[in-house]
Amino acid sequence: MQWEAITWQRMAERLAGHLDNPENAPEQGSWQRVGIDGAPAAETGVLAGELADALRLRGRPSLVVPADGFLRPASLRFEFGRQDVDSYLGGWYDTAALWREVFGPTDPGGTGRVLPDLWDPVTDRATRSPYVELPPGGVLLVHGPLLLGHWFPFDLSVHIRLSAGALARRTEESARWTLPAFARYEADTDPVAGADVVVRADDPRHPAWTGLDAD
């Protein structure tokens, strides 16, 4: 695997250019959907925000949707304990709601009315956020962990990878019980092989990536 040193901002500009390339542009009345996958320690929201800014400079509307806004209620997440790895892998995120409220509206012929979040894990209540109208031609940016194991219809997928050592160092003590879950995710789902773009971010100040196919 070939790695190219790059800044987050330049990476976002390159990704925006790829999405804006006429050869990759969505059909009339459609949307593009981008997934930025990575453990919480990978801070996927940083690249999502940079990419949204780069798209805005190109006149492309976008909407950033964090997967953490679609956590299931605590009664379901913690049904088998607060540190159950199987539950974290398969039961913490409301993937049905993501399909219904985020991906469905941006399917061909959809309405573009996207719910940006559904559940607040701090209050353990519905967020009651209003729907957001993403106009046709806009770009949906979904970011967060474990995204590449659900067949979500991404037009472009990015996996931000941390080595096992870097992941352990950068994961908060209270969340280190999730480390086996990410080891299983890497072994079973193989996001490095499945993603269109892979970013190595052991040192977030000096990322490197695999780049994009020639535009």
Side-chain angles (χ1 to χ4, degrees):
M1 186 172 288
Q2 299 278 328
W3 298 102
E4 174 191 352
I6 194 169
T7 65
W8 294 109
Q9 183 179 20
R10 180 58 181 152
M11 191 187 307
E13 291 169 354
R14 293 272 298 276
L15 291 170
H18 176 83
L19 292 166
D20 209 27
N21 187 310
E23 293 185 3
N24 304 318
E27 296 182 3
Q28 182 107 18
S30 297
W31 297 263
Q32 287 171 311
R33 297 175 285 196
V34 177
I36 302 177
D37 174 70
E43 299 181 342
T44 55
V46 172
L47 181 57
E50 291 278 5
L51 181 50
D53 289 342
L55 288 166
R56 185 178 64 251
L57 292 175
R58 290 174 170 269
R60 297 288 304 279
S62 64
L63 176 64
V64 176
V65 175
D68 279 353
F70 286 83
L71 285 170
R72 302 173 79 196
S75 60
L76 298 176
R77 297 200 311 275
F78 303 145
E79 182 178 3
F80 300 103
R82 290 180 173 270
Q83 298 185 358
D84 186 82
V85 170
D86 289 332
S87 293
Y88 183 73
L89 281 167
W92 272 45
Y93 290 89
D94 193 341
T95 55
L98 278 166
W99 277 104
R100 182 180 68 250
E101 304 289 0
V102 176
F103 293 109
T106 54
D107 279 339
T111 63
R113 292 183 73 249
V114 175
L115 189 66
D117 52 56
L118 178 65
W119 199 260
D120 184 338
V122 176
T123 63
D124 199 37
R125 294 182 178 180
T127 58
R128 302 189 184 279
S129 295
Y131 284 87
V132 176
E133 298 277 354
L134 184 62
V139 183
L140 175 71
L141 305 171
V142 181
H143 73 90
L146 311 175
L147 291 179
L148 300 184
H150 302 289
W151 301 100
F152 290 142
F154 295 125
D155 298 291
L156 178 67
S157 59
V158 179
H159 174 64
I160 302 179
R161 185 181 184 277
L162 302 180
S163 67
L167 180 60
R169 289 193 304 272
R170 293 173 56 187
T171 298
E172 296 181 3
E173 183 69 33
S174 62
R176 287 191 177 178
W177 65 270
T178 64
L179 295 177
F182 287 107
R184 279 174 49 184
Y185 176 63
E186 188 165 344
D188 297 344
T189 303
D190 197 0
V192 169
D196 298 308
V197 176
V198 180
V199 181
R200 188 176 63 193
D202 284 5
D203 183 345
R205 300 167 299 177
H206 302 289
W209 75 334
T210 55
L212 287 155
D213 293 335
D215 291 328

